């Protein structure tokens, strides 16, 4: 056996020269030393830097002050022999001898995790039986609750998806989101990449990111993306209501890097962008469920005032059980077909007269059915009568008492009762769940699904439905309730 290299004993703290980016020492009772043997110098350097960023004290040289020795692919006997050579003549070393798995789990948790038998070298089990997960290919076949056991993995993939979308690479964005969707639906945390063998939608790139996080506690690619100046600027500019990626890209090419620069530039902004810039801070804060309920009470009063008997439903993420969201969406209809025509202008007029609207833009219903099936829309947007608005939620209404009022994004959608079930399904989300429903309809059933209708391309006829359950039945799918559509 090749002898382990003897390290010079130095006082605790000598190894951290301050040349690397570190965070304040959050855990003074824990002093780490990573054994280089079999781990390798470059990997040891990366893990040491990661530990310091997370607030751990990591020493370069061994000393008697070390409390945790982190090893990789070393036996307990090898490490004990090395330790005794370091403290010869000065008593026995008392540090915990731990496998690198304890370190990576602590990095993921952001704190020192409990030391279990499986972490200790003396009792390390080399072959651990792990559960291999399975999942259907389409998100619309899976039940995905808000109880996400793999948030650190799905957050990382979602960030890469967002970056791809901001770069105009929608295909890569969808691939990352599908991979994240699979992991969100797993019944327990992933502990090894081998558990994911055979799962759908997990391509090589996504698996590399997952492996990096499981082994190192973080992904280099994700961390680099977070620090990317272009990504940060695009996030700020597209965070303005009414600003898309193409507009943000053009502004960046013109030298705009932030909100103040945009304001000082004298550029002409449309009404939506002006309102978005004016209320930027409010619109980029999460809307709470209590705030959504407060808006619902106002909209319900408006609808009842202008069309008694009309029905209003809270849709979007809040219908799926989320406690916060980016905006609040409502679907409005009337039990009598045709009674909903002309409703939106009256609701908007009522809200404006009561001082609730800071901005609004209304579009008319442009949906038409054809004998040969629905015409392909010019975009992925549906064609209902709709009002995009910024709502003034007053303290008297929201009850938060933080300031007199705040701006909240609110979308109002009016649907004929004959299309209500399709609109309800389409506007409940999640976005990936809806995308996969439509993909399933086209690829598996030769049907065309939208928020307006379901058309059977083989039979050349529309399939009517008065409930979401009927739509799932038409598609040959098991019904999944809104609370389990959080893909």
């Amino acid at each position: 056996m090749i002898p382990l290299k003897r390290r010079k004993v130095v006082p605790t703290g000598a190894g951290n020269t301050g040349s690397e980016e570190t965070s304040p020492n959050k855990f003074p009772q824990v002093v780490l030393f990573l054994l280089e043997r079999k781990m390798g110098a470059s990997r040891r350097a990366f893990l040491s830097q990661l530990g310091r960023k997370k607030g751990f004290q990591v020493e370069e040289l061994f000393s008697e002050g070390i409390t945790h020795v982190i090893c990789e692919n070393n036996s307990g006997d090898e490490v004990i022999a090395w330790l005794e050579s370091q403290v010869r003549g000065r008593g026995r070393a008392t540090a915990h001898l731990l496998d690198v798995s304890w370190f990576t789990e602590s990095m993921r948790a952001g704190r020192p995790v409990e030391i279990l038998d499986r972490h200790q070298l003396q009792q390390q089990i080399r072959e651990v039986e792990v559960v291999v997960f399975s999942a259907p290919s389409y998100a619309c076949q899976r039940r995905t609750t808000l109880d996400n056991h793999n948030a650190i993995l799905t957050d990382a993939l979602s960030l890469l998806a967002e970056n791809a979308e901001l770069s105009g690479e929608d295909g890569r964005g969808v691939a990352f989101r599908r991979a994240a969707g699979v992991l969100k639906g797993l019944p327990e945390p992933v502990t090894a990449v081998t558990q994911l063998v055979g799962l759908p939608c997990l391509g090589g790139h996504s698996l590399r990111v997952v492996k990096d996080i499981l082994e190192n506690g973080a992904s280099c690619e994700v961390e680099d993306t977070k620090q990317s100046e272009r990504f940060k600027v695009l996030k700020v500019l597209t965070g303005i209501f009414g600003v898309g990626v193409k507009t943000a890209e053009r502004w960046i090419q013109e030298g705009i890097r932030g909100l103040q620069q945009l304001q000082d530039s004298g550029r002409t902004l449309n009404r939506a962008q002006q309102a978005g810039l004016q209320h930027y801070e409010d619109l980029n804060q999460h809307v709470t469920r209590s705030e959504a309920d407060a808006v619902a009470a106002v909209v319900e009063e408006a609808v009842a005032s202008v069309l008694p008997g009309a029905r209003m439903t809270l849709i979007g993420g809040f219908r799926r059980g989320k406690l916060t969201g980016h905006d609040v969406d409502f679907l409005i209809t009337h039990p009598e077909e045709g009674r909903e025509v002309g409703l939106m202008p009256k609701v908007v007029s009522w809200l404006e007269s009561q001082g609730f609207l800071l901005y609004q833009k209304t579009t008319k219903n442009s949906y038409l059915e054809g004998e040969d099936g629905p015409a392909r829309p010019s975009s992925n947007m549906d064609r209902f009568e709709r009002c995009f608005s910024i709502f003034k939620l007053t303290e008297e209404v929201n009850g938060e008492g933080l300031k007199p009022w705040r701006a909240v994004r609110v979308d109002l959608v009016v649907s004929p009762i004959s299309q209500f079930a399709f609109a309800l399904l389409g506007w409940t989300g999640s976005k990936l769940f809806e995308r996969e429903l439509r993909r399933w309809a086209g690829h598996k059933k030769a049907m065309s699904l939208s928020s307006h209708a379901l058309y059977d391309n083989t039979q050349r006829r529309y399939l009517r439905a008065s409930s979401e359950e009927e739509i799932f039945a038409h598609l040959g799918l098991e019904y999944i309730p809104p609370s389990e559509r959080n893909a």
Side-chain angles (χ1 to χ4, degrees), residues 14 42-43 46 49 101 106 117 151 220 234 238 241 256 289 308 315 332 340 382 396 403 422 424 428 434 448 465:
S42 60
R43 177 162 164 77
F46 170 74
Q49 184 179 20
S101 61
S106 297
D117 286 347
C220 297
L234 278 171
T238 56
F241 174 63
I256 301 297
R289 179 61 198 238
I315 48 181
I332 306 166
E340 79 288 344
D382 58 54
E396 180 180 334
K403 66 176 187 177
F422 298 99
L424 183 62
T428 293
E434 299 300 328
S448 300

Side-chain angles (χ1 to χ4, degrees), residues 306-325:
V306 301
L307 184 60
R311 290 166 28 191
M312 186 199 77
T313 304
L314 179 65
I315 48 181
F318 288 113
R319 185 170 183 247
R320 301 197 308 275
K322 295 184 70 174
L323 298 179
T324 61

